[in-house]
Amino acid sequence: MIATCGSARRSLARAFADPDAGPVLLYVEGAAGLGKTHLLSELAGLPEAPDAARLWWRCGSGDGQQVADEPWGKPALLLVDDVHRADEDELRRLRRVLEGLEPGSAAAVAYRPEELPVPGLPLGGSAMAYPFRLTVLTHRLAPWDEERVRRAAADVLGESGGTAEAVGTLHERTGGVPRAVVDLLALLREQRPAFTGTAAEVAAAGVPTRLAELVLSRTYALSPAHRPLVWAAAVLDGPAARDELIAVSGLGAVPGSDALLRALESAALAEPGEGRYGFAVPLAAAAVRDTVPGPVRQDLHRRAAGVLSRRQPVAWTAVGEHHRAAGDDRRWLRAVEKAAESAAASGRHQEAIVLLERTLAAPGIPPQARARLAPLLARNAVTGLRSDQTVEVLAQIVQDADLPPAVRGELRLDLGLMLSNQMGRFADGWRVLEIAAAELREVRSVLAARAMAALVTPYWPGASLDVHRGWLIKAVAAADDSGDEAMRTAVLANQVGLAMSWADPEAWDLVERLPVQSTDPACVRQAARGLCNAADSAVWLGFYRRVDGLLAEGRELATRSGAPYTEHSASGTRLLQEWWTGQWLGLARRCEEFIADTADMPFLASDAYVVRGLLAVAQGDWGEARSWLSQRGTFGTENLPVPLGATAAGAVIRLTLARQEVADAAEQARAAWTVVAEKGVWPWAAELAPWAVEALARAGDTTGAQAMVRDFAQGLGAADAPAARAALVWSRAVLAENEALAQGKPSGLLAAAEAYRKAAAAYAELPRPYSQALTTECAGRCVLAADAVGEAGGADGVDRSGGADGADRADEAGGADRADRADGAQAAEGAADGAGAHGSGASAAGGSAAPAGDRASTASAIAELESCAQHFTDLGAVWDATRARALLRTRQPAKKGRPPGRPSHSDQLSPREAEVAQLASSGLTNREIAATLHLSPRTVEQHIAGAMRKTGALSRRDLVHRL
């Protein structure tokens, strides 16, 4: 495990490269544990010297006498270990042997520089008389870097060897010394419960026996008068200046300086940095510290706290730990408070949160200290990225009857904010915030305004838009009364979010009022939040061209003012923007990385979960899609913000329709629609409405579908909400298509096609390429369906059965399949079946001749479908592209020059086999593929079997690698 350095091997190989080559002496210098003996063993296997004798000399063991006394007689490689242990007599013999090295021979001499009797002279105090032709080199071993430690950890512990933080801690605590790394890894491998890869486990693993014995033997070889200086280094637990060590030891200047010299001579301490003294392996400090008598150790900690308090900047966390170890709890808690305040002021909120959580969880904290520390924890947690543990701590503390009312109200306020914004527990958070607003009204008006401002936020399920408006009036009045500019900005930031959500005409003016030029960090943080609120609302409204500027400025302000929660929420908005504007390349990976980065707060990644699910739907990975859309079980989807919940519900309804589970889709649509209707923010219905209307219409609830469209239109009114306006046109087109199909009216289908085209044009303007392609496909489908209905002779010619047999017959004949309309783009049920009855499409394959105008319309629809199929392919929407091509085949004419009958595909996949195989490799079941392509499950099974046989695939999933 301790790697050989290539330069050492090359140095020795020089002696054996030529019979006349001069001898080589290689000194191998390395502190204890750096791998000298291992390196010598590697050099013993030097392939360039196969015929040379290998002679081992381990100093201090007595086996050097034979090497020194016997003539070698042939080329030899002498390997000398532990020269620092040789006495004067053995050193004389070794010097004599090395001075007599003959050509064709070499020697490697290893030693610990810190244990040499004469520093820098491994062979004793007098200079060597090196032969003229002897090449003398020195190879200094160095500790491992962090990457080498990571590889060693992976070798011992498997896979990654632990988190990056754990590997960093392993490297830091061992100093990269290979022997210490290997021994500590062995402890971790054998520990029970099994090592889970965290830094905390590395820190708590203890000191390996070999390391403990080495450092303790060196420490207690010192006289009792000198040991306190080593104890001081152990208590400080890090490199320190000479004066600091002496001050902590309590020895005084002259005795302390003498003790430091003796400690360095004995290698009990080292000089890891110029003028800084400590242990060569930092982990060794714990072994020494544990041997210091208790009263002495407390005195050392007390003096260490004083010494560290004089450093600049003051490391208050370390100062606090020393006060606590000295038994001074009052100074400990004061230092913790200063440490948390310092961390928060520099934007290190997570550091402050961890420290305060750990402190407040300790038993016996006085009520006055809890009253000071708990609000500090809450404020950092709301700004930072902490969740579960902080919520538990605060929930317990607010029950303390001894807390002053103002403190309890502030804690309750921050608890409510965390429950709502970071945990997604909106109902609980709303109740807590209402109580906080009432508690704080008389004692802390500025915080009461903050609680009221939080209740203005409309994203939470439950309260209606009018309720939020009522709280806005109260919040504005309270903020004005407080005279606090930061609080006025906080209320304004939430007012921006509320106004933008329902497309208030004055919303953009409110954005301009945000004090982005303020020099007050508190105001800047709130302005950043307001800009990011505006960016998020702009995404939902469809103002995509404005989003980039809002996000860039908001994130810059958030970074500058130390608001990581705002930064992360802006990242979620960015993912939504990329989804709707068609920036799909690498989007799945970006979603998954964001989810991993926010693993401690899954609600913060809810945008990423939904976007990842939407991608999976388009790609045909339906099993994964449902998992992502349900947030992978991290929390209940009923707690999603209303617009995100509506979007996820729309996608789930789409999948349910694709599976032909129409009744279930209709129930899902009604439930999701109720949430949006109760909220009353109608632009948020944009991603739900088309799918919900289709579900009810296909379930036969035409009245309910019409009511949805009517409520959507009335709710929007004249609002400037481009995405919702496009969705309203789409929803009306869905309703028109279903009514035309039910009545068998070609004119109605053509009117629906025109409505779909208007929706597509609206989406193109935004731009939203995926929605544009979907509605374009719908328009083409309606035109083809109108043509088929007309040829079939009206309503009586429409087959509404949706049975698979007709589709099978069409497929077996090489003709038309019903195109899918499961996602709002399925071929008109009756029209598609009618087309299938005419082989490859009546207008192209011998049906009754269509009028010239109808033929032109059909040709235009086919061109539209070809275009949107290509758009789907470019985006990576595998399922949609496959469905669009299936619809195209129902009407495209046979290629000229093709012989009669079915083409031969004995050696390659047929087009239909390729489509089926692509969907199967994505994870769709036979039934789901049948629904997409309008085949029977039996036919799908036959196509999959053919595809696997022709490609040699071993399973459905293996098809993806074979296509």
Side-chain angles (χ1 to χ4, degrees):
M1 180 166 292
I2 300 174
T4 298
C5 182
S7 62
R9 172 174 286 177
R10 288 191 299 272
S11 299
L12 285 188
R14 191 176 305 153
F16 304 99
D18 187 290
D20 297 326
V24 173
L25 170 59
L26 176 68
Y27 288 115
V28 177
E29 177 181 297
L34 285 181
K36 298 177 297 300
T37 301
H38 187 90
L39 178 56
L40 291 181
S41 298
E42 291 286 330
L43 294 176
L46 193 69
E48 290 84 354
D51 300 325
R54 269 59 171 178
L55 304 174
W56 279 92
W57 185 335
R58 291 178 176 83
C59 295
S61 66
D63 62 0
Q65 186 66 45
Q66 183 177 0
V67 175
D69 292 345
E70 292 185 5
W72 295 357
K74 63 176 181 177
L77 173 58
L78 176 62
L79 301 160
V80 185
D81 201 4
D82 293 338
V83 170
H84 53 279
R85 293 178 176 167
D87 57 23
E88 284 294 329
D89 184 57
E90 189 170 18
L91 283 176
R92 280 194 298 272
R93 292 199 304 273
L94 177 58
R95 289 161 66 98
R96 192 166 56 249
V97 168
L98 295 176
E99 288 169 352
L101 283 175
E102 297 289 338
S105 296
V109 177
Y111 60 91
R112 295 178 183 174
E114 72 273 22
E115 294 187 22
L116 290 176
V118 181
L121 295 175
L123 297 179
S126 59
M128 273 278 292
Y130 295 116
F132 173 72
R133 296 189 63 191
L134 178 67
T135 299
V136 183
L137 304 169
T138 300
H139 177 73
R140 292 181 174 86
L141 293 171
W144 286 345
D145 60 16
E146 191 166 326
E147 171 57 24
R148 184 64 187 85
V149 171
R150 186 196 64 75
R151 296 202 306 270
D155 288 342
V156 175
L157 303 175
E159 297 182 359
S160 66
T163 65
E165 186 182 7
V167 171
T169 301
L170 180 63
H171 179 258
E172 176 190 354
R173 299 304 291 157
T174 61
V177 173
R179 182 75 268 165
V181 173
V182 172
D183 287 351
L184 186 54
L185 287 172
L187 286 180
L188 293 171
R189 182 188 59 206
E190 300 302 323
Q191 76 173 25
R192 293 295 180 272
F195 179 63
T196 61
T198 67
E201 290 171 292
V202 175
V207 184
T209 300
R210 233 185 307 236
L211 175 61
E213 290 181 351
L214 176 66
V215 70
L216 291 175
S217 65
R218 290 173 171 179
T219 299
Y220 287 92
L222 295 169
S223 71
H226 296 148
R227 289 174 198 162
L229 193 114
V230 180
W231 294 346
V235 165
L236 284 170
D237 200 15
R242 180 187 63 176
D243 292 344
E244 291 177 334
L245 281 173
I246 293 172
V248 174
S249 71
L251 291 177
V254 174
S257 295
D258 185 51
L260 177 58
L261 289 174
R262 301 289 84 75
L264 292 171
E265 288 173 0
S266 70
L269 295 181
E271 188 179 5
E274 187 173 356
R276 312 288 290 181
Y277 305 98
F279 293 94
V281 179
L283 186 60
V288 174
R289 197 165 52 244
D290 289 344
T291 66
V292 180
V296 175
R297 189 171 60 248
Q298 283 192 314
D299 289 342
L300 290 166
H301 279 295
R302 178 177 52 78
R303 291 192 290 267
V307 165
L308 295 185
S309 297
R310 293 190 287 274
R311 285 183 180 176
Q312 292 299 325
V314 179
W316 287 112
T317 300
V319 171
E321 290 300 324
H322 285 299
H323 279 310
R324 188 182 189 189
D328 192 339
D329 287 351
R330 184 178 63 83
R331 285 192 171 91
W332 162 49
L333 295 172
R334 285 294 184 185
V336 166
E337 187 175 2
K338 290 180 179 179
E341 289 172 344
S342 174
S346 59
R348 293 175 286 117
H349 298 284
Q350 197 70 12
E351 180 182 323
I353 291 166
V354 171
L355 173 63
L356 290 166
E357 283 179 347
R358 187 171 65 239
T359 302
L360 287 167
I365 303 297
Q368 300 91 333
R370 288 166 68 87
R372 292 198 316 272
L373 297 178
L376 192 54
L377 168 63
R379 287 194 292 272
N380 276 280
V382 169
T383 306
L385 299 173
R386 193 69 170 184
S387 53
D388 303 29
Q389 186 173 341
T390 306
V391 166
E392 293 176 9
V393 171
L394 294 181
Q396 292 175 0
I397 292 175
V398 295
Q399 305 303 320
D400 187 346
D402 294 330
L403 282 177
V407 174
R408 184 185 298 106
E410 181 180 358
L411 293 179
R412 207 183 300 276
L413 163 62
D414 290 329
L415 177 60
L417 291 173
M418 291 187 64
L419 287 168
S420 301
N421 295 337
Q422 299 180 13
M423 302 291 290
R425 292 165 54 183
F426 297 118
D428 293 339
W430 183 275
R431 285 192 296 271
V432 172
L433 286 169
E434 284 186 316
I435 296 171
E439 281 182 331
L440 293 166
R441 186 178 292 115
E442 300 301 327
V443 293
R444 297 282 295 277
S445 60
V446 66
L447 293 182
R450 189 179 178 203
M452 296 171 186
L455 295 168
V456 171
T457 304
Y459 288 92
W460 309 337
S464 69
L465 180 59
D466 288 339
V467 171
H468 295 300
R469 286 169 172 158
W471 278 111
L472 175 61
I473 294 171
K474 297 177 183 178
V476 170
D480 288 342
D481 290 344
S482 73
D484 188 296
E485 194 57 38
M487 187 50 58
R488 288 195 183 103
T489 308
V491 173
L492 177 59
N494 284 14
Q495 186 177 3
V496 165
L498 179 65
M500 290 278 294
S501 69
W502 61 275
D504 183 341
E506 298 180 2
W508 293 107
D509 292 335
L510 292 172
V511 175
E512 293 299 321
R513 286 172 47 193
L514 290 166
V516 295
Q517 301 299 327
S518 174
T519 57
D520 180 357
C523 284
V524 173
R525 276 195 294 272
Q526 299 302 334
R529 192 169 59 82
L531 289 170
C532 291
N533 284 349
D536 192 65
S537 293
V539 165
W540 293 112
L541 291 173
F543 293 111
Y544 304 119
R545 292 183 177 89
R546 295 194 181 191
V547 171
D548 289 341
L550 291 168
L551 279 182
E553 187 174 10
R555 295 184 75 165
E556 190 276 328
L557 292 179
T559 301
R560 177 153 52 91
S561 60
Y565 178 83
T566 301
E567 288 185 75
H568 279 68
S569 64
S571 297
T573 300
R574 169 65 64 193
L575 296 173
L576 289 167
Q577 163 92 339
E578 291 174 349
W579 158 257
W580 276 310
T581 56
Q583 301 173 62
W584 290 13
L585 184 63
L587 183 54
R589 172 184 52 78
R590 292 193 292 277
C591 288
E592 292 174 19
E593 288 175 350
F594 184 61
I595 289 167
D597 290 343
T598 56
D600 290 340
M601 294 179 60
F603 177 72
L604 194 58
S606 54
D607 290 336
Y609 279 105
V610 171
V611 171
R612 186 64 183 85
L614 294 171
L615 284 168
V617 171
Q619 293 163 350
D621 197 350
W622 291 0
E624 281 293 293
R626 284 188 177 272
S627 175
W628 288 114
L629 291 169
S630 63
Q631 307 288 299
R632 296 217 156 183
T634 54
F635 61 91
T637 53
E638 71 279 0
N639 287 326
L640 282 174
V642 174
L644 201 60
T647 302
V652 171
I653 293 166
R654 183 183 181 191
L655 287 176
T656 309
L657 287 170
R659 292 189 166 108
Q660 307 300 318
E661 298 166 358
V662 178
D664 289 345
E667 286 305 307
Q668 293 165 355
R670 293 186 186 99
W673 193 260
T674 298
V675 174
V676 176
E678 288 179 349
K679 178 59 67 174
V681 181
W682 287 101
W684 290 348
E687 313 313 317
L688 170 65
W691 315 115
V693 169
E694 181 173 349
L696 264 62
R698 287 178 60 183
D701 186 3
T702 304
T703 302
Q706 292 171 339
M708 280 184 178
V709 173
R710 183 176 63 252
D711 292 346
F712 191 16
Q714 291 176 351
L716 279 181
D720 187 11
R725 294 245 162 250
L728 177 59
V729 177
W730 185 354
S731 302
R732 285 171 170 157
V734 170
L735 195 57
E737 179 186 7
N738 277 274
E739 290 175 350
L741 285 171
Q743 298 167 10
K745 291 183 177 179
S747 59
L749 286 167
L750 293 175
E754 188 58 31
Y756 280 125
R757 288 193 180 103
K758 289 180 179 178
Y763 282 121
E765 185 67 23
L766 293 178
R768 272 179 56 167
Y770 184 53
S771 299
Q772 178 190 355
L774 287 174
T775 46
T776 299
E777 181 191 3
C778 293
R781 181 187 67 225
C782 286
V783 172
L784 298 188
D787 183 31
V789 169
E791 292 171 3
D796 291 340
V798 179
D799 174 12
R800 299 287 296 172
S801 68
D805 290 340
D808 272 350
R809 287 194 296 273
D811 189 54
E812 295 298 330
D817 304 311
R818 291 195 329 165
D820 174 35
R821 200 194 69 196
D823 63 344
Q826 177 188 11
E829 291 170 317
D833 284 341
H838 290 281
S840 294
S843 62
S848 57
D854 290 347
R855 288 198 299 272
S857 178
T858 300
S860 175
I862 290 173
E864 288 177 329
L865 287 169
E866 289 173 338
S867 175
C868 73
Q870 186 59 50
H871 286 155
F872 286 140
T873 300
D874 293 343
L875 285 169
V878 174
W879 176 41
D880 301 287
T882 301
R883 185 190 59 250
R885 284 193 293 268
L887 177 56
L888 275 168
R889 276 200 306 277
T890 67
R891 306 300 288 184
Q892 286 176 322
K895 294 181 180 179
K896 293 181 180 180
R898 171 180 154 183
R902 300 185 67 184
S904 173
H905 297 288
S906 58
D907 299 326
Q908 58 185 2
L909 297 183
S910 69
R912 177 47 56 87
E913 285 174 335
E915 286 179 344
V916 171
Q918 184 70 56
L919 294 175
S921 66
S922 296
L924 270 65
T925 65
N926 287 0
R927 181 184 174 193
E928 290 164 349
I929 297 170
T932 298
L933 301 178
H934 279 270
L935 306 172
S936 73
R938 182 192 63 201
T939 300
V940 171
E941 184 179 348
Q942 292 170 349
H943 284 314
I944 290 174
M948 291 178 65
R949 175 175 53 79
K950 292 178 182 180
T951 62
L954 301 177
S955 65
R956 294 167 70 99
R957 283 288 185 184
D958 189 36
L959 279 170
V960 73
H961 305 296
R962 308 279 184 161
L963 295 179

